[in-house]
Structures are given as C-alpha cells and as structure tokens.
Amino acid sequence: MMRALRLAVVAALVAISTSACFGLGTAGGYVPTGKLSGAVADVKSLEGVNLSVGSKNFSENILLGKMAIILLQSDGAKVKDLTNIPGSASARQAMLDDQIDGMWEYTGTGWITYLGHEKPIPDEEKQYTAVRDEDRKKNGLDWLQPAPMNNTYGFAVTAATAKKFNITKLSQLKDVPQNERTFCVESELINRPDGLKGMLQTYGVPLGSGVPRSNLKTYQTGAIYDATAKGSCNFGEVFTTDGRIVALHLKVLEDDKSFFPKYNVSFVVQNAILKKYPQIEKLFAPVSKKLTNQVLLKLNAKIDVDGDEPAEVAYEWLKQNGFVKDQ
C-alpha cells in the first residue's frame, strides 16, 4: 500500500515508464451498478462519459477504487477498471501520464512520497490543504475533500495489556516497566527517524536506553497482528484501519503527540476532468464524509478476514448508507 512506499525516494517515481503502467495486471472483474439515491440522487448525470479509475494493490485501496467505480457507473459513466495496480509508484505514474482519471490517495503519501517533503504537517486539514494546493499547481491533480479516516502507523495492544498497564496512549509508554516495553515491528521501521526510533524518542523512551534492542522482535507486516494478539510482544506495529485490528480484538494506542504523519484518503481527479465534469465533486463529497476509521476497519475486515470480494463489500456499504439502490 502506501505502506511499501511511504518513504520511497521520489526519484523512483520518475523511473517508472509509461509502458510499465500499461503492462500491469489490474483487478477487473464484475463491479455492480445501481441507481444513485439519497444525498447523491440529484447529481448531474455522467451519461456517455468515459472514465478510468485506478487503485493500488492492497485491500483498502481496491475497496475504495471499486466504490468509486460503482458511484460513477451508477451516475451513467462508462468506467474502465484499473484497480489493483502493483505498487504506489506505478499507480502514481499512471495518474501523471493521464492513464487514470481518478483514484483514492492518502495525504501523507502525497506530501512525503510524491511531493518530496521530509516533515509531515501535524494538523490534518493543513496537511490536506498543502497537498491539494501543491499537487494541483505542479501536476494538475485535484484532491477532493478528504475523508475523516486516517490510515497511518500505530501501535496496538491486547485488552489484557491495556488493562495491565492502564495504557491508552503512547505518552504512557514511559510508565510501563522497561522489561515490558516489548515491540513487534517490521525491520524497516526500526531505525528510520520517522519510524520506531523517532517515535520512542518523542515519547521519552529512546531506543537503547528506554527500549533495549533485545526488546524488539521483527516480523513481516501481516504476522505482527497475530503475534501481538498471542502475546509475543506487548506493543505491535499496525496500520490503523487494518481489519485485523477488529478481528483480533486489538486496541490502537492514541498517538497523542501526533508523531506519525496523517494519511487521510481523498479521491484525486485529473484537473481537466473535474473542470469538464464538476459534478464528480458533489458525487464523492457525502460518501467521503462517511469514511471513518471505524467504517474502514469493518469493511477491511470483511475482505481480509471474511474473504468477501471488495466490489461486493463496496456496493453493500453504499447501498446500506443510501447512496445507491438496486436498479
């Protein structure tokens, strides 16, 4: 996801050729179409308009991509499904090369990975505004109003650990005995200044003196959730909208000093497309407002834990929330 590329060098994007984007496999498959209803019922029709929608190749972004396709198709557009592009670099390059008309992106990814800034902006709205303005000016891409969800890094604990140490936020790490400050993390997160090392420094338990390296256990991303749930460590690195948090009954500690970048999701559209079809903004605005962390946690769990198809999960959620109805 943004996961694999959050701190990738911006120059890597340039290295992705146009032909590479065309050679990528995408999700395709059947995507349901309904009839717009509720808050989007009166959006001006996109009948006869041809559009392409992309996504990266992780569950949440595919889910959101399918959601976008359903909305646009239900408003009359003919949509080319380019979801499930392997890698953020390829998906971004496809946007820059006008191969994709729209896709969901994350503000932190846009600011740090794509636009090359080293420091995130702690305030969510200011971070969004900065990304929106710079990407529009430099690349002709319009970021629509972001969702309240924030799929950033976090650290989770079991209910038993939270109760044992009376901990709900990262600033309370310093109150946990040193030998109990055990962490399950990806190897890449350990030494990065914006990763574990920087987080521990910010919260007063520096790596080495506050958290001995012997307290760290490294895992692949997917294995951390299960290891944390089974007690291999007290604190596990997670992504805050991952469905396995719900499935394994983990609790994410509050990042009360706002150390980690904000990763609010926004539907990004080619400026030329939005100028020609401004109703796209009205189509997505009420949907984005509903996309909270709790909503994405549940929807992602349906895909990653229950094995449901992203397109079906997307359609059912849009239907349940009154944005579409069966034709």
Side-chain angles (χ1 to χ4, degrees), residues 44 164 242 254:
K44 185 178 179 181
K164 179 180 179 180
D242 195 297
E254 180 188 353

Side-chain angles (χ1 to χ4, degrees), residues 26-272:
T26 54
Y30 171 71
V31 179
T33 300
K35 182 178 180 181
L36 295 184
S37 62
V40 295
D42 296 329
V43 172
K44 185 178 179 181
S45 175
L46 290 167
E47 188 71 37
V49 177
N50 292 307
L51 298 170
S52 56
V53 170
S55 84
K56 304 173 193 181
N57 62 339
F58 60 94
S59 296
E60 179 175 282
N61 211 238
I62 295 172
L63 166 76
L64 292 170
K66 300 297 187 183
M67 200 175 288
I69 293 170
I70 292 166
L71 285 170
L72 293 166
Q73 285 183 166
S74 298
D75 196 31
K78 183 177 180 182
V79 185
K80 185 176 183 180
D81 185 348
L82 293 175
T83 54
N84 201 26
I85 297 173
S88 294
S90 299
R92 172 68 171 186
Q93 194 64 38
M95 283 289 291
L96 295 177
D97 291 341
D98 297 334
Q99 297 172 27
I100 291 175
D101 294 317
M103 68 174 288
W104 295 87
E105 262 297 358
Y106 301 85
T107 53
T109 306
W111 186 248
I112 296 172
T113 303
Y114 300 152
L115 297 174
H117 297 278
E118 293 184 0
K119 294 183 178 181
I121 299 173
D123 181 84
E124 288 188 354
E125 187 63 30
K126 290 180 180 178
Q127 178 68 95
Y128 160 71
T129 301
V131 171
R132 178 198 65 190
D133 293 350
E134 187 170 336
D135 217 14
R136 179 188 294 154
K137 181 178 179 180
K138 289 185 176 180
N139 301 304
L141 299 176
D142 277 308
W143 292 61
L144 304 187
Q145 193 63 32
M149 64 80 72
N150 176 27
N151 187 7
T152 188
Y153 288 108
F155 281 89
V157 298
T158 62
T161 297
K163 183 177 180 180
K164 179 180 179 180
F165 300 114
N166 191 29
I167 186 169
T168 60
K169 51 190 178 183
L170 290 173
S171 60
Q172 295 170 319
L173 280 172
K174 62 181 184 300
D175 301 324
V176 176
Q178 186 188 71
N179 67 316
E180 298 282 7
R181 296 174 196 152
T182 55
F183 291 81
C184 293
V185 293
E186 298 173 290
S187 58
E188 120 179 45
L189 194 76
I190 294 176
N191 291 307
R192 286 203 329 241
D194 69 326
L196 180 68
K197 186 176 181 180
M199 185 276 285
L200 294 176
Q201 183 71 37
T202 297
Y203 285 103
V205 285
L207 185 61
S209 59
V211 176
R213 285 186 175 268
S214 58
N215 284 18
L216 309 184
K217 294 184 178 181
T218 58
Y219 294 86
Q220 294 295 321
T221 305
I224 292 175
Y225 296 83
D226 191 54
T228 305
K230 290 180 177 177
S232 297
C233 58
N234 286 323
F235 306 98
E237 171 199 346
V238 298
F239 293 96
T240 52
T241 59
D242 195 297
R244 287 166 291 193
I245 294 172
V246 173
L248 295 170
H249 309 292
L250 300 175
K251 297 178 179 293
V252 179
L253 299 177
E254 180 188 353
D255 180 13
D256 49 321
K257 292 189 178 181
S258 297
F259 172 76
F260 291 114
K262 300 298 187 290
Y263 289 92
N264 300 95
V265 76
S266 166
F267 193 67
V268 181
V269 192
Q270 299 287 349
N271 179 259

